[in-house]
Amino acid sequence: MSSNIVWHGSSVSKKERQNKNGHKSFVLWFTGLSGSGKSTLANALTRELFEDGKAVYVLDGDNIRHGLNKDLGFGAADRKENIRRIGETAKLFVDAGVITAAAFISPYQEDRENVRNLLEEDEFIEVYVKCRLETCEKRDPKGLYKKARDGHITNFTGVDSPYEEPSDPEITIETDNHSIEQSITLIKTHLKEKGLL
Ligand SMILES: Nc1ncnc2c1ncn2[C@@H]1O[C@H](COP(=O)(O)OS(=O)(=O)O)[C@@H](OP(=O)(O)O)[C@H]1O
Ligand SMILES: Nc1ncnc2c1ncn2[C@@H]1O[C@H](COP(=O)(O)OP(=O)(O)O)[C@@H](O)[C@H]1O
């Protein structure tokens, strides 16, 4: 919709920022059902990387929906716009030299692929936080599944709104079977193998 706009180059490049920080910048995109463990893993990993001197930030669904995306709901079009804006935000963080952990249900494969395509190769690492609906519902950390089953919330992912599993994620964590510590180790091992840590 915008016209008559011209891109301005930056006086400090992404590479220079990465060199100053002493590491590459990229997005770890945690996707999965509500209660699967996205926020827990994003925050635990970020804490460890922060202690290790890395520049890190977490973008989290609940938090972003308090501010930047407070105008969006949970219908398919709004979820798409939610992920589009987060993708653009994550790209800015990567440009700023920051390791960015994004924790969003992001239920649609196409929307996740659009974010991947915004970034360079190796800058988007899809982490499928895989967990059986039954387990997520048992955990129900915010009581939302109960509300959805009782009909107080509609369009709830896994109940009356779809979740499309990633077809080829870089990392799959099965939080039914792995502890939080094991899950973090799996992610760090992948990042080291790829030369990102
Ligand atoms: N209808 C419905 N469906 C799913 N989730 C709901 C809904 N209503 C509120 N919530 C709460 O919002 C969090 C999900 O926001 P996201 O921005 O990650 O969702 S999405 O990516 O746009 O699908 C989600 O957070 P997590 O539980 O951390 O996934 C819920 O706390
Ligand atoms: N391996 C694991 N990884 C992440 N969370 C786990 C794991 N095992 C159990 N949990 C628990 O599951 C819950 C996940 O909640 P949360 O991180 O808010 O999920 P989400 O952000 O996907 O909605 C937390 O109470 C967490 O302690």
Side-chain angles (χ1 to χ4, degrees), residues 71-90:
D71 57 325
L72 300 177
F74 289 92
D78 277 9
R79 289 187 200 245
K80 186 180 192 63
E81 176 61 8
N82 183 41
I83 298 310
R84 188 192 70 78
R85 290 184 200 169
I86 304 309
E88 294 288 355
T89 306

Side-chain angles (χ1 to χ4, degrees), residues 34-35 38-39 61-62 65 74 79 82-83 103-107 142 144 153-157:
S34 178
K38 303 179 297 295
S39 302
D62 277 313
R65 282 175 174 277
F74 289 92
R79 289 187 200 245
N82 183 41
I83 298 310
F104 296 87
I105 296 176
S106 43
K142 301 170 207 153
L144 296 178
I153 304 180
T154 53
N155 280 340
F156 197 79
T157 308

Side-chain angles (χ1 to χ4, degrees), residues 119-132:
L119 293 150
E120 289 176 26
E121 222 182 315
D122 276 356
E123 283 183 347
F124 182 87
I125 297 134
E126 188 172 31
V127 185
Y128 177 22
V129 186
K130 188 173 181 179
C131 186
R132 281 173 304 157

